[in-house]
Amino acid sequence: MENVEQMVWWKAREMPLLETDWRNIKLYCESVENPFEWKRCVYVIRLAPPFCIAYGDQSEIESPLIYVGSGSISQRWSDHREWLYELGRKIPGGRYEVWVCQPRTQKNYSFYEQIEADIIGIF
């Protein structure tokens, strides 16, 4: 299996949380590729520094990670737009990042689930 840290990631960084139009998100990335057209990918939505989320009753874990998904972003992005916008209203000046990669495997149906689990520990 590919190591998550060694995968090639498409990254759009430092976007205002209120900016959720994919046409504008591409402007925050140096790559000319467009993962919005990819059919199979793994993606991460995370808060940009200095923001993070305190998870758990006693805030045992703090992480900038707010979503890990797989599949086609174009099919799922409309759902993310709503909650990102609401989060932006609660964190004035908050910014976020989208990281996307295209891991490949054949006939390993749990492959994307394994990658998502690894991502939680890394991001």
Side-chain angles (χ1 to χ4, degrees):
M1 185 167 111
E2 237 176 316
N3 183 331
V4 172
E5 294 174 329
Q6 295 173 339
M7 290 180 185
V8 176
W9 291 88
W10 180 95
K11 302 170 203 151
R13 298 183 180 190
E14 296 291 326
M15 297 171 291
L17 280 164
L18 300 175
E19 178 55 76
T20 60
D21 186 325
W22 194 266
R23 291 171 294 188
N24 294 336
I25 289 170
K26 290 188 303 184
L27 300 175
Y28 289 87
C29 182
E30 297 173 4
S31 174
V32 294
E33 292 181 274
N34 184 4
F36 201 67
E37 298 169 359
W38 298 349
K39 300 298 179 211
R40 293 187 317 166
C41 64
V42 173
Y43 62 99
V44 173
I45 303 172
R46 54 180 269 158
L47 293 172
F51 298 103
C52 67
I53 305 280
Y55 293 99
D57 294 336
Q58 304 295 319
S59 301
E60 305 98 34
I61 300 171
E62 293 182 355
S63 173
L65 186 64
I66 51 179
Y67 192 85
V68 177
S70 62
S72 170
I73 293 176
S74 64
Q75 293 179 347
R76 298 177 167 200
W77 192 253
S78 61
D79 294 334
H80 300 322
R81 292 179 71 171
E82 292 180 31
W83 63 261
L84 280 168
Y85 186 83
E86 288 301 315
L87 186 60
R89 292 184 53 206
K90 294 180 182 350
I91 307 174
R95 301 179 89 67
Y96 74 110
E97 303 173 344
V98 178
W99 294 48
V100 188
C101 69
Q102 283 185 295
R104 293 288 182 235
T105 186
Q106 291 187 1
K107 297 184 182 180
N108 183 348
Y109 301 105
S110 64
F111 180 67
Y112 287 94
E113 292 173 0
Q114 293 168 1
I115 290 175
E116 288 180 32
D118 290 347
I119 286 171
I120 291 171
I122 293 169
F123 284 89

